[in-house]
Amino acid sequence: MTNKHPVSYPTPQDLEFILADSVRKTDLLAFLRKRGLFFFNISTAELAKQVAAILWDAEALECFRAMAYRSSNKKILSGFSIYSSRPFDLDGIYNSIRENGTLSSAGYKLNAISKVSKGDDCIYAGTISYEKKSAGRIGFIRTEERDAYFVMKKISDNEWQIEVDGGKSNDGKAVHIMLEKMAKNRDLTISSLRIDRLTKSSTITFFDLLAQKGLSDEWQIEDIGRITLKKDAGTKSENVSDDGDETEVGRDDLSGITQAILEGMNLREHNFVKQAEEAGYAFTSMTYVFYNADSNVKVKLRAEFKGSPKIFEVAVESYLISVVNQDEGYEEGLSNMDDNLNMSLRSMFWNNARSIYHSLQGNQKTENI
């Protein structure tokens, strides 16, 4: 395994803290079993203490680091579209800005992009780096420079699509700043999935349809984990603050909404949802649990409009793997989830959300927004 960052060997105390605080117990036990180490009937704190006392090599430390990051920094996908009235090459514009160092004075570094597509597809991948200090973090996992990974895909001669794969919502903002620089004086328009482009009723329909069409057919909706509502959530204002009257749907109402979704009912006909809409609330986030019968796994996806203005993003919150010969049924496996699968699911969900979003915009043109 190749280390992206130099690793100074942590003290046993620091390693113990990281293992106890930032690494899931099930993932740590799985890591140890592969190395012939078995622990039974042990608490998380005692397990971390025992493991920290062992002298580990650089490869094991990198595994600990990866597990800690994956557990504490969930990957977030957001996206943008760039249009023009005439054909343009986004990759050429990007390289021009990178070579001229246009964004370096603002603390952003554009790294080289590479073509990752095959055949006639035109897809580039790259990263933008920017400094973000994490005060108070232990040196072993402190992040001083953030990398926001993005993919640029040519849809047509006049349109490109960009997907941002980051650890925080700020990563998407960093890429948006880059796009604004690219669009300046070039007859380019940037488009994103913003909640202030939807009516309150459309936000309800949007999240309702995502339960049915968010993932492909092999993934079936099984549960709704969480729903948040916000009053005046930017549906009439482009410069709405992220502060305000936000509320989470209570357990009883959540159960009723979940049942309505699973039965394929129109969510706007649900009594609680009706009352919320009449009171001026819009749906801002929903957490979905999907089940894949072929692989016998479950994934929990959070879909949310976030920021100011509120832009749509997707994150994998949990990845549940079936446990053989155990009563628990499923255990958390997010730390060991394949990165390509993680990205693929979020990209699929975001693109399906994009289609739903634009169809709703078309339907509401005659409405009084």
Side-chain angles (χ1 to χ4, degrees):
M1 183 181 294
T2 301
N3 292 345
K4 181 179 179 181
H5 306 285
V7 179
S8 56
Y9 203 96
T11 66
Q13 292 78 15
D14 283 353
L15 184 55
E16 179 183 345
F17 176 82
I18 296 304
L19 295 176
D21 184 70
S22 301
V23 175
R24 298 176 189 272
K25 182 180 177 181
T26 54
D27 295 328
L28 184 55
L29 288 172
F31 169 88
L32 295 169
R33 285 197 297 268
K34 291 178 181 178
R35 286 155 180 78
L37 297 173
F38 298 87
F39 292 86
F40 302 95
N41 300 322
I42 188 172
S43 67
T44 300
E46 183 59 28
L47 177 63
K49 183 176 182 179
Q50 294 284 341
V51 175
I54 300 173
L55 185 63
W56 296 100
D57 58 19
E59 181 178 356
L61 289 178
E62 189 62 22
C63 287
F64 293 148
R65 174 198 288 273
M67 285 191 285
Y69 272 121
R70 287 175 177 172
S71 294
S72 58
N73 296 326
K74 294 182 175 66
K75 304 291 281 182
I76 299 170
L77 188 138
S78 57
F80 311 93
S81 295
I82 297 185
Y83 305 89
S84 178
S85 59
R86 56 192 176 188
F88 66 100
D89 290 319
L90 190 61
D91 54 318
I93 297 173
Y94 176 92
N95 281 322
S96 174
I97 292 177
R98 183 179 67 84
E99 291 167 3
N100 292 333
T102 307
L103 284 176
S104 58
S105 60
Y108 295 90
K109 176 185 176 184
L110 306 188
N111 303 311
I113 55 173
S114 58
K115 193 170 184 178
V116 297
S117 57
K118 296 180 180 179
D120 296 332
D121 291 333
C122 189
I123 303 175
Y124 291 84
T127 59
I128 177 173
S129 303
Y130 65 101
E131 292 186 353
K132 175 89 174 165
K133 292 186 178 181
S134 300
R137 301 293 296 276
I138 290 178
F140 182 52
I141 61 169
R142 180 180 296 129
T143 300
E144 296 185 350
E145 186 178 77
R146 294 194 60 82
D147 290 338
Y149 174 81
F150 60 88
V151 175
M152 304 192 310
K153 180 178 181 180
K154 184 177 181 179
I155 306 300
S156 69
D157 288 343
N158 297 55
E159 179 186 357
W160 286 66
Q161 181 174 301
I162 295 87
E163 293 180 17
V164 184
D165 183 30
K168 295 182 180 297
S169 297
N170 283 339
D171 295 341
K173 291 181 180 179
V175 174
H176 192 272
I177 290 173
M178 175 189 78
L179 297 178
E180 287 178 330
K181 291 290 184 182
M182 295 169 72
K184 190 175 182 181
N185 301 322
R186 286 188 173 90
D187 184 34
L188 299 177
T189 301
I190 305 171
S191 174
S192 57
L193 309 188
R194 292 172 49 159
I195 198 171
D196 56 16
R197 300 290 189 261
L198 296 175
T199 62
K200 295 181 181 67
S201 61
S202 290
T203 65
I204 298 169
T205 305
F206 175 80
F207 284 104
D208 191 8
L209 290 174
L210 275 175
Q212 307 166 32
K213 303 178 180 180
L215 293 181
S216 52
D217 291 342
E218 62 263 29
W219 293 91
Q220 300 298 315
I221 185 67
E222 185 180 79
D223 197 8
I224 303 297
R226 183 171 179 260
I227 299 174
T228 58
L229 313 171
K230 188 176 176 104
K231 200 164 189 177
D232 300 322
T235 51
K236 293 182 183 290
S237 171
E238 295 188 5
N239 299 308
V240 66
S241 169
D242 199 36
D243 298 323
D245 189 9
E246 186 172 77
T247 183
E248 182 175 340
V249 175
R251 181 178 299 179
D252 292 340
D253 291 316
L254 180 61
S255 177
I257 292 174
T258 300
Q259 191 63 33
I261 289 176
L262 295 179
E263 293 177 357
M265 296 171 57
N266 184 338
L267 196 56
R268 291 187 62 201
E269 297 303 315
H270 187 276
N271 188 50
F272 173 84
V273 176
K274 277 184 177 180
Q275 293 177 1
E277 182 182 356
E278 290 170 358
Y281 284 87
F283 275 43
T284 56
S285 79
M286 190 176 289
T287 301
Y288 307 85
V289 179
F290 291 94
Y291 172 67
N292 188 316
D294 294 335
S295 53
N296 198 19
V297 297
K298 300 179 183 182
V299 62
K300 181 184 287 187
L301 284 166
R302 186 188 76 245
E304 182 173 18
F305 286 99
K306 191 173 182 180
S308 180
K310 289 184 177 294
I311 294 175
F312 185 73
E313 61 183 40
V314 184
V316 175
E317 289 200 335
S318 294
Y319 184 67
L320 302 171
I321 304 171
S322 61
V323 181
V324 180
N325 298 325
Q326 290 191 31
D327 295 333
E328 290 86 348
Y330 289 85
E331 67 179 11
E332 178 60 71
L334 182 59
S335 298
N336 291 317
M337 185 183 184
D338 180 77
D339 288 338
N340 290 331
L341 175 61
N342 192 316
M343 176 67 175
S344 176
L345 289 176
R346 286 179 291 123
S347 177
M348 182 194 308
F349 198 89
W350 186 87
N351 277 279
N352 289 334
R354 179 176 179 269
S355 296
I356 294 170
Y357 179 90
H358 288 304
S359 69
L360 290 173
Q361 280 193 310
N363 292 337
Q364 68 182 24
K365 283 182 179 178
T366 58
E367 296 182 23
N368 182 21
I369 302 177

